[in-house]
Amino acid sequence: MADQNFQIKGTNVTSMVLDLYHYQADEFAAALRAKIETAPLFFTGSPLFLNLASFNGELDKAQLQSIANQCRSAGFQLYGFRGAEESVAQLAKDVGLVHLPTPRPRTEAEAPPAEPAAAPAGVSSSLPAKVIHKPVRSGQQVYAEGADLILLAPVSEGAEVIADGNIHVYSALRGRALAGVRDNPKARIFCQKLEAELVSIAGQFILHDGIAAEVWKKPAQIFLQDDSIEIAAL
């Protein structure tokens, strides 16, 4: 059997969503720069798509091209859009954006089975927890697929820890922590000292400047409540 030239697989890549509500070129560019400056290592180079479902007003081809250019100049890898009406969708395609279908609601038959009553909240894993004994250094990424992630040493600034389940950091968390990345809103992040650049649960995230002083550099847990990130002292 001849060697294969390539193989196409599904993958778990975290992408950013830019919900666009209105557009003024100068205002948009300034706000985008300000946002990136809050966590440049996280945003720069990140995959991004536009959600136009809540846009107020009309968009023409020149504006869409300007938005695409500004996002790419800021360092994002803008690749697609969704939520646009047909006329705008065609213009977006004309400027090189891929159309992403809006997710349809699950039917009752498609919904996953309920978790057993004995399962702890936030645990979606079927594999043993992934345990890391050494510090996670800047530029490193650790991912616990289908499991919780337990870290017994610090997570440095510029590092990234990711889990399908919960994340437990029994030391300082200074990098980025993303729990429940495969749409698990019950996942939580626990740490002994919260100094994170970014924390995320099931795609919802908050940056370091949004973390209250009351929990900064203190033991904390991060969880979702009504689709909003909540941080509570431990």
Side-chain angles (χ1 to χ4, degrees), residues 2-7:
D3 291 339
Q4 292 180 326
N5 291 324
F6 63 87
Q7 185 177 17

Side-chain angles (χ1 to χ4, degrees), residues 145-157:
E145 182 177 5
D148 287 356
L149 178 61
I150 298 174
L151 300 118
L152 304 179
V155 178
S156 300
E157 182 178 351

